[in-house]
Amino acid sequence: MTMSIAAKHAKGKSAQDKIFGANAAAVAAAAKYGKDAVTNATIGAILDEDEKLVCLPTVEEVFRGLSTNEMIAYAPISGLPEYLDCVLTAAFGNSRPEGYISAVATAGGTGAIHHAIWNYTDNGDTVLCSDWYWGAYKVLCQDMGRNFTTYKMLDENNKFNLPALKEKVDELLAKQDNLLYLLNTPAHNPTGYSLSGEDMD
């Protein structure tokens, strides 16, 4: 008999990510049938012609030029102030909204999603996403005692389905004070769909 000392809410948790599962299947198929017979477009990473990870040369040059102290020293929990200011500039450019805005550093995109769910919804609230989504979103919500629901992202003409989104937003805001809407664009993962300027308006 195996004994676990994990807290009750954490026992037995596991998940098989569909994207990583599809990647494993594609890698196995390439090994079996040959790389020329399989196109693996499952993981959101850029590979070169030799299937090695690609890093932007400018990023690599800056990273390799950092001193050891710059690479390993503790940063403030919320992130370096200069970095956070640059994030806001990159996010909003010349269209910075009037009012309070702030940035915080996280450990990757999944960390940002986790923090958004935890900090902008209450226990029992429902988080909204399109019906094409990365499975980890739902797992993160469930792990924090939040519900997860979707709307049909594309209409019958494969256009952004604003009426379906509006209906779901109205439904949720009738039941809860805050609404967190997870929207990845451009190139919404895993759809590859990007909102147009008109969609964004």
Side-chain angles (χ1 to χ4, degrees), residues 23-177:
N23 178 62
V27 169
K32 182 175 181 179
Y33 302 110
K35 291 180 181 179
D36 293 342
V38 177
T39 300
N40 183 353
T42 59
I43 299 292
I46 301 172
L47 306 178
D48 65 16
E49 296 301 321
D50 296 320
E51 298 184 17
K52 293 180 180 169
L53 282 172
V54 172
C55 180
L56 295 173
T58 50
V59 172
E60 184 174 6
E61 180 182 338
V62 170
F63 181 75
R64 294 189 186 283
L66 294 173
S67 69
T68 300
N69 189 55
E70 288 176 304
M71 283 192 282
I72 66 171
Y74 278 114
I77 291 173
S78 61
L80 294 167
E82 300 85 2
Y83 168 77
L84 298 176
D85 189 53
C86 288
V87 167
L88 294 176
T89 300
F92 297 108
N94 294 326
S95 302
R96 193 176 285 218
E98 292 182 18
Y100 177 79
I101 58 173
S102 187
V104 64
T106 66
T110 304
I113 298 295
H114 174 278
H115 286 9
I117 294 167
W118 183 253
N119 289 296
Y120 292 98
T121 62
D122 286 319
N123 193 35
D125 279 355
T126 299
V127 173
L128 179 61
C129 191
S130 71
D131 57 349
W132 287 30
Y133 62 89
W134 184 35
Y137 294 166
K138 187 173 184 179
V139 172
L140 286 165
C141 288
Q142 292 170 335
D143 198 43
M144 290 182 267
R146 275 58 169 175
N147 300 304
F148 182 82
T149 193
T150 62
Y151 68 97
K152 187 172 182 188
M153 185 177 80
L154 301 178
D155 64 18
E156 59 278 357
N157 299 312
N158 288 325
K159 301 291 184 194
F160 185 67
N161 196 347
L162 185 60
L165 171 60
K166 183 181 184 312
E167 181 180 347
K168 205 63 159 174
V169 166
D170 291 343
E171 174 191 321
L172 292 171
L173 286 177
K175 297 185 280 190
Q176 61 192 53
D177 293 332

Side-chain angles (χ1 to χ4, degrees), residues 15-32:
Q16 174 63 38
D17 184 85
K18 291 179 182 176
I19 295 172
F20 286 99
N23 178 62
V27 169
K32 182 175 181 179

